[in-house]
DNA sequence: AGAATAGTGTCTTTTAGACACTATAGT
DNA sequence: ACTATAGTGTCTAAAAGACACTATTCT
């Protein structure tokens, strides 16, 4: 291409002479919401264990937010894109590779980090807990898998001239062996012709670093929203699983129970039956299935 | 809070002493995909005009990509977040305010801009064309609304051990009064247990700047994907509209025709009927509706 | 009158919800 | 035998698809 600009330069000449300005640039970090699903302890030899949703957090060893728990993450390096950075962090901080990864949202409020201007490009990752052979946080940082409870509380729509404002509050509770964290995040949305605002606000926060309660809420809503039309859950399942297990995973993420017959009809195209069965369960054995990746959208 | 870190500093002391490192930081820009819907010329006084989807592009007056057409956008300033930047750009470059705005995706490949390291946080905006009283591009830059044709071509799934690779190609054609642009973008997705890769690749590009063909494709897929479960289309409609008009907007975005009766059943909760009717149409008048914002999800 | 669209009725098909019933290993 | 779950059958209700029919205004 030999086009010349207003100064008579070709593109090659322009780029050779180009010097980036010295205006202020943000740092860009990747923060990762890594979900997995684990079994609870079961009380009786007969009872199947319940499923619980867990997320990986890391205790901050320095200011700011010293002693609070943060999503694993780190800065994006030059010569890599955010996805590379996310994968690198995933390996370094959680010891996992080759798992489901999806970009969520870029959080960019200028004061979200008290040190300096840091944007966070957030990612959601899903891991089968059987895949977690490497214990998270081998290094100095203290890492832990927190069990997550996510409940919608306050919910209100107020109408105004030509529009609606919808406010919902979500209560997050996170528990690990020795730590309990909690947060309340308010999601408000103005829906009208002349305005379109969506906002997450941290109403209450006990022990979560930065704006990570927001990011976590965003991730949970995305996960819930994707559940029924995409086969995203399959990334949380082990190689072989029973349909009841799969149903319990859906249930723990959605926070409600589902009807067995309807559930099975719906997920039928997403799974393939095997000839293997569970054993020693204290009740009728259950057929084991594997994921039918063709059926996943 | 009086916690002290490993150096015996409180958070206040730490922050007061904090100096950001001088490692390389990216520039962050917002690029905007601004959609609107317009009427085509109608051949006969009887025939209703068709709808067409349009997107705003700006011809680049300098290197790089001199003479090519780019999405409107600009850098994010310190003390604003990406959404503020997007709104500012929307006003400056397209002369519109208070319209629907949604963050799409952050494109961050290190070489996407030949000058320097620039990440693009992309947004999608929807405007009712009646709202465009201010002609876009009053200033030096040449701006134009391009009519968009978006067709899926090649589509293939190849199975491999324990997974699927799905490849789809999309053909974009953009036409304004005096310019024709086109691009082919390939979307490939690997869906399997041990891998999760999603990638957009520009296969062919005639006249679109940077990686903007990618961003545009991403926006179109998002718009299509959101159509049926959210009332997002309503942001493209004027104050009063007929149900046939609304249907034609759905049809032009989805690229397929819909059945009238079923369509009306489905969108019924999203609209409110008025007592006004179209006039001088050369055929039976049509009732005018307005948006029922309560019904929008 | 007749072109072109507006608007509705209704039949069929598909999907979802509800719930009861039968089946079966393990102690 | 009994517990706890596995798995299926079937009825009902709701939603989607298909298509034909009637209604209405302007030239």
């Amino acid at each position: 291409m030999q086009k010349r600009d207003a100064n008579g330069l070709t593109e090659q000449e322009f780029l050779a002479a180009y010097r980036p300005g010295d205006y202020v640039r943000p740092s860009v970090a990747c923060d990762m919401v890594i979900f997995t699903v684990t079994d609870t302890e079961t009380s009786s030899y007969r009872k199947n264990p319940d499923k619980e949703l867990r997320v990986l957090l890391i205790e901050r060893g320095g200011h700011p937010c010293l002693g609070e728990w943060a999503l694993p993450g780190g800065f994006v390096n030059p010569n890599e894109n955010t996805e590379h950075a996310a994968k690198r962090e995933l390996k370094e901080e959680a010891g996992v590779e080759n798992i489901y990864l999806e970009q969520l949202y870029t959080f960019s409020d200028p004061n979200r980090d008290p040190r300096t201007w840091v944007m966070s490009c957030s990612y959601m990752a899903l891991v089968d807990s059987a895949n977690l052979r490497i214990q998270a946080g081998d290094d100095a940082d203290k890492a832990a898998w927190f069990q997550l409870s996510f409940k919608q509380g306050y919910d209100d729509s107020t109408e105004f001239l030509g529009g609606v404002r919808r406010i919902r509050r979500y209560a997050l509770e996170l528990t690990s062996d020795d730590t309990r964290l909690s947060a309340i995040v308010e999601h408000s949305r103005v829906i009208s012709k002349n305005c379109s605002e969506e906002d997450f606000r941290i109403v209450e926060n006990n022990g979560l670093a930065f704006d990570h309660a927001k990011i976590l809420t965003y991730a949970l809503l995305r996960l819930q929203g994707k559940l029924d039309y995409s086969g995203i859950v399959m990334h949380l399942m082990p190689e072989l699983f029973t349909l009841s297990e799969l149903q319990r995973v859906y249930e723990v993420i959605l926070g409600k129970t589902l009807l067995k017959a309807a559930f099975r009809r719906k997920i039928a195209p997403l799974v393939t039956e095997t000839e293997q069965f569970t054993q020693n369960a204290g009740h009728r054995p259950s057929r084991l299935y594997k994921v039918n990746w063709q059926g996943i959208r």
Side-chain angles (χ1 to χ4, degrees), chain A:
Chain A
M1 191 198 295
Q2 279 294 36
K3 283 186 197 156
R4 289 175 183 277
D5 67 8
N7 300 317
L9 299 178
T10 64
E11 181 153 345
Q12 285 79 2
E13 290 162 356
F14 168 84
L15 289 173
Y18 182 82
R19 292 291 171 270
D22 58 352
Y23 48 82
V24 188
R25 297 176 171 205
S27 292
V28 177
C30 276
D31 285 315
M32 239 102 36
V33 183
I34 313 175
F35 288 123
T36 196
V37 164
T38 56
D39 286 342
T40 55
E41 297 289 305
T42 184
S43 46
S44 125
Y45 76 96
R46 286 192 190 281
K47 279 219 170 111
N48 278 339
D50 280 329
K51 296 287 178 184
E52 38 185 43
L53 184 62
R54 288 181 174 266
V55 65
L56 184 69
L57 296 178
I58 292 177
E59 190 178 16
R60 286 192 54 78
H63 290 304
C65 304
L66 176 66
E68 294 180 15
W69 292 82
L71 296 169
F75 291 102
V76 181
N77 294 330
N79 303 317
E80 69 178 2
N81 63 24
T82 51
E83 195 177 315
H84 293 149
K87 285 184 180 170
R88 185 171 45 74
E89 294 298 330
L90 221 39
K91 195 173 167 183
E92 284 172 20
E93 301 214 51
V96 285
E97 269 184 284
N98 300 328
I99 59 169
Y100 180 82
L101 189 64
E102 169 181 341
Q103 190 186 107
L104 286 178
Y105 192 84
T106 298
F107 293 85
S108 61
D109 281 348
N111 299 315
R112 54 178 297 284
D113 188 312
R115 286 167 295 188
T116 179
W117 189 15
V118 183
M119 292 187 185
S120 166
C121 184
S122 58
Y123 279 81
M124 171 168 72
L126 304 180
V127 212
D128 150 28
S129 64
N131 217 325
L132 297 174
R133 43 183 82 83
I134 301 163
Q135 174 70 355
D138 289 336
D139 48 6
D141 288 332
K142 197 173 147 197
W145 288 97
F146 282 75
Q147 191 248 312
L148 243 173
S149 138
F150 181 64
K151 288 197 187 107
Q152 188 186 304
Y154 182 80
D155 182 1
D156 188 53
S157 290
T158 55
E159 192 182 355
F160 60 86
L161 191 67
V164 204
R165 174 184 214 97
R166 198 165 291 158
I167 293 176
R168 276 192 254 262
R169 285 192 180 183
Y170 299 95
L172 291 161
E173 299 208 14
L174 300 103
T175 41
S176 73
D177 296 337
D178 47 3
T179 313
R180 266 185 92 82
L181 314 173
S182 67
I184 296 176
V185 176
E186 183 175 276
H187 180 207
S188 78
R189 226 155 86 81
V190 177
I191 310 168
S192 76
K193 171 135 201 57
N194 299 317
C195 195
S196 134
E197 303 246 324
E198 184 168 24
D199 184 58
F200 288 87
R201 195 168 63 84
I202 297 175
V203 175
E204 210 182 288
N205 185 16
N206 297 301
L208 278 159
F210 305 106
D211 56 355
H212 290 186
K214 255 196 227 187
I215 301 181
L216 198 46
T217 303
Y218 191 92
L220 282 160
L221 290 175
R222 172 81 67 98
L223 181 60
Q224 286 186 346
K226 276 197 135 178
L227 262 208
D228 51 326
Y229 72 89
S230 76
I232 198 175
V233 188
M234 298 307 174
H235 296 279
L236 291 166
M237 304 306 292
E239 192 64 34
L240 293 174
F241 52 88
T242 69
L243 295 185
S244 301
E245 259 186 290
L246 181 59
Q247 183 173 345
R248 284 194 296 272
V249 174
Y250 270 87
E251 287 173 340
V252 75
I253 293 173
L254 290 174
K256 66 178 181 192
T257 58
L258 303 173
L259 290 164
K260 188 164 53 169
F263 176 77
R264 289 176 179 228
R265 270 194 308 241
K266 211 170 164 189
I267 53 90
L270 308 182
V271 296
T272 313
E273 67 176 34
T274 70
E275 291 310 314
Q276 291 174 265
F277 290 82
T278 55
Q279 285 178 333
N280 308 322
H283 50 257
R284 175 173 172 180
S286 180
R287 187 185 286 276
L288 290 165
Y289 287 76
K290 54 185 185 182
V291 181
N292 172 24
W293 295 103
Q294 331 269 323
I296 311 294
R297 217 186 73 99

